[in-house]
Amino acid sequence: MTEAYIFDAVRSPRGKGRKDGALHEVTAARLSAQMLNAIKDRNGLDGHFAEDVIWGNATQVKEQGGCLARTAVLASDLDERIPGLSINRFCASGMEAVNIAANQIRGGAGDAYIAGGVEMMGRVAMGSDGAAIAVDPSIAMNTYFVPQGISADIIATEYGFSREQADALAVESQRRAKAAWDDNRFARSIVPVVDQNGLTILDHDEYMRPGTGLEDLARLNASFEQMGKVMPGFDKVAQMKYPHLAEINHIHHAGNSSGIVDGSAAVLIGSKAFGEANGLTPRARIRATAKIGLDPTIMLTGPVPVTEKILADSGMAISDFDLFEVNEAFASVVLRFQQAFDVDPALVNVNGGSIAMGHPLGATGAIIVGTLLDELERTDKEVGLATLCVASGMGAATIIERV
């Protein structure tokens, strides 16, 4: 079997996902094209070096609709002979693009791919695609559908996490993200976003609130308590699935949940032969990939069972890993991962995460793979695991190993 290697990883800074955000003027196709061009130009490649562009985004409507991957290729400097594949595994779309590309190379279907994703949440609102699991009563009732925020609060209740623990994790995410930016730890991957005149419009993660403290977060109201307890009463739906929970403890709010942002990321994945032919040195090997389905009501516990699966598939133990990237969709997701595997929090999201810097749904999976690789190199460590929870009850994971 052909090995799949990471040769490069880039990402845009994350802009606030609203009308006054720095990236609001940029479409998903244009931002994606800038990431594709960065991969091409940074590595001195010609326009027709890749078998395919596999691109994730979670809300595939309007300007993010159609085959956005192909549109991005045509908007970029890549050769028009490169096709494009758009995929959607919600929050894991960018990671799934990376994993599919790696497995295509392993199977002999080409020597190089660009994989990644995009989400312009300030331009195309989350949920505007009208997902059937949320809007079709015949499906929602049978699956005991609740919104993700309620699911995050179910995790907190089921596994005993307090608001104080969630807020402490959020404050630490902000501290770590600021330290990482101050220390230029993202410098290798960040591609400043430019406008049509080539002028830089964003060169840093815009969403961060580095001065946030526990006292600030304590003043915020729980975001999902109203929809849980009053209208439309999702707590009752959850308790039909989990009758042992006498009451849902609503601990999540804007400060300990992931931020709504715009952003994109791309990863260059290829075979050893591709690297040799183009004078490129691989940075890491993609050692294993995994995905899994689980209960769609609690929904966000995916990082635990998918990690168990990838460990079994790869013959590895949790102690074999030097670093972990666990997407901070909500604080309870990371707390549950740390609890389940008794992982040292100092090894998880060491440069902050989506609570501090934001979660551009279709891009985040590719972002955290690149962040993990950069940090393994910076600290001269060897093996890392990246994983995400996924809407509707799924999980995804990727193991990378430096070479």
Side-chain angles (χ1 to χ4, degrees):
M1 183 175 63
T2 302
E3 294 281 8
Y5 296 96
I6 297 175
F7 289 91
D8 200 6
V10 301
R11 74 168 176 94
S12 74
R14 286 169 272 198
K16 295 176 183 177
R18 58 194 195 199
K19 290 183 179 180
D20 62 349
L23 298 183
H24 188 69
E25 68 185 73
V26 185
T27 66
R30 291 296 177 186
L31 187 60
S32 299
Q34 288 192 34
M35 298 304 107
L36 299 180
N37 287 341
I39 288 288
K40 171 185 172 292
D41 296 341
R42 282 163 50 121
N43 295 283
L45 298 166
D46 65 26
H48 191 217
F49 62 88
E51 183 76 17
D52 203 354
V53 169
I54 305 178
W55 214 241
N57 72 286
T59 309
Q60 298 186 347
V61 294
K62 301 179 181 177
E63 62 193 49
Q64 290 184 170
C67 183
L68 180 60
R70 176 58 175 167
T71 305
V73 169
L74 296 176
S76 75
D77 296 332
L78 300 189
D79 194 291
E80 66 181 12
R81 289 173 291 173
I82 299 176
L85 172 65
S86 289
I87 65 165
N88 184 356
R89 201 186 291 279
F90 298 125
C91 301
S93 298
M95 176 175 285
E96 194 60 39
V98 170
N99 292 352
I100 290 172
N103 291 327
Q104 289 284 92
I105 290 169
R106 285 173 170 161
D111 281 325
Y113 287 76
I114 303 177
V118 68
E119 207 77 35
M120 304 305 288
M121 301 179 75
R123 295 178 63 93
V124 182
M126 178 172 56
S128 59
D129 52 345
I133 194 169
V135 302
D136 185 336
S138 67
I139 299 173
M141 291 176 66
N142 288 337
T143 58
Y144 299 93
F145 169 82
V146 298
Q148 288 187 37
I150 300 292
S151 297
D153 288 337
I154 296 172
I155 294 172
T157 308
E158 177 75 2
Y159 295 102
F161 304 126
S162 68
R163 173 160 171 163
E164 291 72 22
Q165 287 176 289
D167 286 356
L169 186 146
V171 169
E172 180 64 5
S173 180
Q174 295 283 356
R175 187 196 69 78
R176 292 182 182 188
K178 182 180 186 304
W181 272 101
D182 288 348
D183 198 31
N184 292 319
R185 297 181 193 174
F186 301 128
R188 181 166 186 176
S189 296
I190 289 289
V191 175
V193 181
V194 299
D195 64 13
Q196 60 186 359
N197 298 311
L199 301 176
T200 297
I201 57 176
L202 188 65
D203 62 3
H204 64 280
D205 287 323
E206 184 183 30
Y207 181 81
M208 293 165 53
R209 302 181 187 92
T212 301
L214 290 173
E215 299 81 5
D216 302 306
L217 298 186
R219 289 192 286 269
L220 299 177
N221 294 325
S223 296
F224 309 104
E225 187 169 17
Q226 183 77 7
M227 70 170 64
K229 292 185 175 181
V230 187
M231 287 296 292
F234 282 113
D235 284 6
K236 295 297 184 184
V237 177
Q239 287 165 323
M240 292 171 67
K241 178 70 76 71
Y242 299 99
H244 62 285
L245 300 180
E247 185 175 1
I248 307 299
N249 183 20
H250 293 285
I251 72 166
H252 289 94
H253 50 73
N256 60 26
S257 306
S258 56
I260 293 175
V261 295
D262 303 324
S264 183
V267 182
L268 175 60
I269 304 167
S271 65
K272 182 179 180 181
F274 166 77
E276 291 173 345
N278 290 279
L280 300 177
T281 301
R283 296 172 61 188
R285 175 171 68 103
I286 297 180
R287 184 161 173 173
T289 69
K291 62 271 187 184
I292 202 165
L294 58 131
D295 175 6
T297 304
I298 200 167
M299 187 186 315
L300 305 175
T301 56
V304 174
V306 80
T307 296
E308 293 170 341
K309 183 177 189 295
I310 205 168
L311 292 177
D313 291 348
S314 63
M316 299 178 72
I318 204 74
S319 58
D320 293 329
F321 294 91
D322 298 304
L323 294 171
F324 303 89
E325 284 288 324
V326 183
N327 185 41
E328 294 175 353
F330 298 89
S332 64
V333 174
V334 182
L335 290 170
R336 174 55 188 151
F337 180 88
Q338 293 172 174
Q339 179 192 66
F341 297 106
D342 194 25
V343 172
D344 182 353
L347 303 179
V348 181
N349 303 340
V350 299
N351 292 315
S354 291
I355 290 174
M357 293 175 284
H359 176 19
L361 307 178
T364 302
I367 288 174
I368 66 173
V369 169
T371 299
L372 181 61
L373 175 55
D374 284 345
E375 186 62 15
L376 287 171
E377 291 176 336
R378 188 185 75 85
T379 57
D380 197 24
K381 299 184 186 301
E382 300 299 324
V383 184
L385 169 73
T387 183
L388 304 92
C389 63
V390 187
S392 301
M394 295 182 282
T398 307
I399 295 173
I400 64 173
E401 180 180 30
R402 287 180 61 204
V403 294

